[in-house]
Amino acid sequence: MALEKLDPGRVNNDSPHTLPFSAKPSLIWNTTLLSYRHSFHAGNFADVLKHIVLVEILEHLSQKDKPFGYIDTHSGAGLYDLYSETATKLGEHQGGISKLKADKWPELKSYFDAIDGCNKDGKLRFYPGSPLIATQYLRQKDKAWLYELHPKDYQLLKQNTARHRQVIATNEDSLSNVLGLIPPASRRGVMLVDPSYEIKSDYEDVFKLIKQAHSKFSTGTYALWYPVVDRQRINKLERRFINSGIKNIQRFELGLEPDSVERGMTSSGMIVINPPWKLMGKMTQLLPRLSKALDTGDGALYRCDQLVDE
């Protein structure tokens, strides 16, 4: 599928040189904003893994003529300037997407095409979040629902997706409202769930959400992103899915160093329910090479397995 080239100039600017990006909002409900801003982390190794998996799912859905629905529970602003002050402060993209060159990764052509679609001159300046990646796969008959709580990010998200009539951006809590969209009228689709997990209850809430959504729409694809900050929390989350009664669950994980309670996020992963049939084979071949390419010298690692059989 040929992807449509987007125009980063459509994004609202706070200044002539810096785009005002942030990402996944986390709220202590109804009152205080938490500190997480995805603009500090855009294009890092976790984004690389998440978006490679997402592109594979979207490409699979778009291969059939039947329409599909896309639901993004924590959309963020949708697009990030890697030259912005926030992005350069930590420079996490330098250990992620900036380490990978398209000509060296022919198997990731669709992923790089999605990134190129947000960069006019072929140079890596803007990195698309999941909403901007998804819009490049949407056809006129498809629909997307994007949820974002942070008011500024919501306004940016609306601007970034305004030209797509198939997209509905909503300034609401997805965990409380998204089940009303399940199942989509097309009876085909994917839900991407990727909160910041700064609220510890997110680990429980995302499982409950996917469990309920699956009970209403068992043939849908569900892609859950998670950070490995505390391995015990991830082990508990995985056991919940394994014991849930849900079939056909795969897990893909990429880490830059072994688990640690002192170093923040050392790995991240994707739990995918009803994945495309080619996804496991592709990730089995890709993750060993990707972990070597992104290795910082601290012992990169990966996991690629079937948590629950079909």
Side-chain angles (χ1 to χ4, degrees), residues 281-306:
K282 180 158 189 172
M283 298 303 288
T284 299
Q285 296 294 319
L286 178 64
L287 282 177
R289 186 180 171 212
L290 193 60
S291 66
K292 290 181 180 180
L294 300 182
D295 192 355
T296 60
D298 293 318
L301 48 92
Y302 66 92
R303 297 184 182 192
C304 185
D305 52 14
Q306 188 87 28

Side-chain angles (χ1 to χ4, degrees), residues 130-150:
S130 48
L132 267 291
I133 290 175
T135 57
Q136 296 185 62
Y137 282 90
L138 294 178
R139 303 159 297 186
Q140 289 299 320
K141 55 192 169 184
D142 303 320
K143 282 205 166 186
W145 295 267
L146 312 176
Y147 285 85
E148 177 55 47
L149 271 173
H150 192 289

Side-chain angles (χ1 to χ4, degrees), residues 4-65:
E4 176 187 6
K5 199 159 198 72
L6 303 180
D7 183 359
R10 291 179 179 272
V11 181
N12 185 37
N13 289 313
D14 276 351
S15 70
H17 304 292
T18 302
L19 301 181
F21 296 127
S22 58
K24 305 188 183 57
S26 293
L27 298 181
I28 297 176
W29 301 119
N30 300 323
T31 54
T32 308
L33 280 170
L34 294 179
S35 61
Y36 184 85
R37 309 290 289 185
H38 193 66
S39 52
F40 287 98
H41 314 290
N44 67 3
F45 78 97
D47 269 0
V48 170
L49 174 66
K50 175 172 63 179
H51 294 146
I52 287 173
V53 172
L54 178 61
V55 164
E56 290 297 312
I57 294 170
L58 291 168
E59 196 160 53
H60 173 77
L61 287 169
S62 64
Q63 285 174 354
K64 291 188 177 181
D65 186 57

Side-chain angles (χ1 to χ4, degrees), residues 25 71-76 144-151 153-155 157-158 161 167-178 181:
I71 299 172
D72 197 321
T73 63
H74 298 77
S75 296
W145 295 267
L146 312 176
Y147 285 85
E148 177 55 47
L149 271 173
H150 192 289
D153 290 349
Y154 169 65
Q155 291 301 323
L157 181 66
K158 283 179 64 179
T161 59
V167 173
I168 299 173
T170 306
N171 187 210
E172 294 178 352
D173 168 29
S174 61
L175 299 184
S176 300
N177 295 281
V178 74
L181 300 175

